[in-house]
């Protein structure tokens, strides 16, 4: 599992509240990613990071922000949760840098927004 | 990024070889082809990556013809535990190694 943990693993929250999901890695890899997966869909990239304080948007970044103040932690924040953000969120790391597309995924966080 | 097309589902029986073909007609010169496997309630798992011809590892082979407009993932002698969704991705160099997942192929293996 390449030392990736996600917390919390499950969360239920109310519409309009802020939510922060945490991804933690133990091996100092440069690239980290946040994806969401909805029923019947593949994963969609929300944001990614290529170093401490270096982040960029993915294809579905609206309503989400990220921060990376330490190599090992990548935080995903839902600024004001909406029901459309009910999903399973996966964090991933890329181990070998440019030219390698082998990513390791965390166990996922199931988020329900009521 | 090149759009990929793969079958929505496939059925097989234990012990058979399964070939899943993916088309990617507008693949760029520097793009790679990557396959992932996903079990329910788990994150995807990297299977194999290739650029051209054939790549083989301990779990699968990847066949890429000379024009690179398609690729075939081959799983030898599948078992029930190979029941999963398989994703074909075309990835470009640079840009943070970003992956774009389609809807994948649901492989069901039966006895």
């Amino acid at each position: 599992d390449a030392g990736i943990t996600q917390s919390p693993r499950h969360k239920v929250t109310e519409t309009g509240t802020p939510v922060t999901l945490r991804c933690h890695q133990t091996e100092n890899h440069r690239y980290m990613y946040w994806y969401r997966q909805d029923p019947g869909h593949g994963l969609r990239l929300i944001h990614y990071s290529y170093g401490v304080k270096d982040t960029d948007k993915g294809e579905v970044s609206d309503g989400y922000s990220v921060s990376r103040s330490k190599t090992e932690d990548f935080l995903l924040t839902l600024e004001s949760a909406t029901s459309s953000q009910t999903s399973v969120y996966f964090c991933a790391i890329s181990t070998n840098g440019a030219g390698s597309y082998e990513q390791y995924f965390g166990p996922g966080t199931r988020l329900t927004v009521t | 990024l090149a759009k990929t097309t793969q079958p929505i589902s496939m059925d097989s029986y234990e012990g058979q070889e399964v070939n899943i073909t993916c088309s990617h007609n507008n693949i760029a010169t520097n793009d790679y082809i990557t396959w992932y496997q996903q079990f329910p309630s788990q994150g995807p798992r990297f299977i194999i990556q290739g650029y051209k011809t054939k790549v083989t590892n301990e779990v699968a082979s990847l066949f890429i013809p000379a024009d690179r407009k398609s690729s075939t993932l081959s799983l030898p002698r599948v078992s029930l535990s190979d029941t999963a969704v398989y994703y074909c991705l075309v990835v470009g160099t640079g840009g943070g190694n970003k992956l774009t997942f389609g809807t994948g192929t649901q492989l069901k293996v039966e006895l």
Side-chain angles (χ1 to χ4, degrees):
Chain A
D1 63 0
I4 307 169
T5 57
Q6 293 184 230
S7 59
R9 294 292 314 279
H10 299 86
K11 186 171 181 66
V12 179
T13 191
E14 294 184 348
T15 298
T17 60
V19 176
T20 295
L21 309 182
R22 180 183 184 235
C23 178
H24 179 78
Q25 59 150 327
T26 59
E27 300 186 16
N28 293 321
H29 293 297
R30 179 183 176 190
Y31 292 93
M32 299 184 74
Y33 309 81
W34 277 107
Y35 295 87
R36 62 176 288 175
Q37 185 171 33
D38 303 300
H41 291 82
L43 283 75
R44 291 181 291 173
L45 181 66
I46 305 171
H47 282 280
Y48 70 101
S49 170
Y50 45 95
V52 173
K53 299 187 179 179
D54 292 324
T55 65
D56 205 349
K57 296 179 180 179
E59 60 179 302
V60 290
S61 60
D62 288 348
Y64 301 95
S65 62
V66 289
S67 65
R68 192 168 178 200
S69 58
K70 298 184 291 184
T71 300
E72 59 265 35
D73 289 326
F74 192 31
L75 304 180
L76 176 71
T77 297
L78 288 64
E79 294 142 8
S80 177
T82 67
S83 59
S84 65
Q85 294 176 312
T86 292
S87 189
V88 179
Y89 291 85
F90 289 102
C91 173
I93 63 170
S94 178
T95 58
N96 295 326
S100 172
Y101 304 98
E102 183 172 354
Q103 292 189 7
Y104 289 91
F105 286 78
T109 294
R110 184 172 296 276
L111 176 68
T112 302
V113 183
T114 61
Chain B
L1 293 173
K3 178 179 170 58
T4 60
T5 302
Q6 52 183 123
I8 294 174
S9 64
M10 295 182 67
D11 294 328
S12 185
Y13 295 95
E14 276 203 317
Q16 290 190 332
E17 177 184 76
V18 170
N19 296 307
I20 306 174
T21 297
C22 176
S23 66
H24 28 78
N25 291 320
N26 59 338
I27 189 169
T29 301
N30 295 327
D31 289 344
Y32 283 76
I33 299 151
T34 305
W35 286 80
Y36 279 76
Q37 173 193 56
Q38 186 178 26
F39 298 111
S41 301
Q42 294 184 23
R45 182 176 73 99
F46 174 86
I47 302 175
I48 198 166
Q49 171 180 311
Y51 183 79
K52 61 181 179 181
T53 63
K54 176 183 176 181
V55 179
T56 297
N57 62 22
E58 63 274 11
V59 299
S61 295
L62 179 59
F63 298 91
I64 305 168
D67 66 4
R68 304 198 329 120
K69 294 183 183 299
S70 67
S71 59
T72 299
L73 175 73
S74 181
L75 305 172
R77 298 180 298 282
V78 295
S79 64
L80 293 174
S81 63
D82 292 314
T83 294
V85 178
Y86 292 81
Y87 295 97
C88 165
L89 295 86
V90 171
V91 292
T93 56
N97 303 339
K98 290 182 288 185
L99 303 181
T100 300
F101 288 81
T103 53
T105 297
Q106 172 67 64
L107 172 65
K108 182 179 180 182
V109 180
E110 299 174 291
L111 288 173

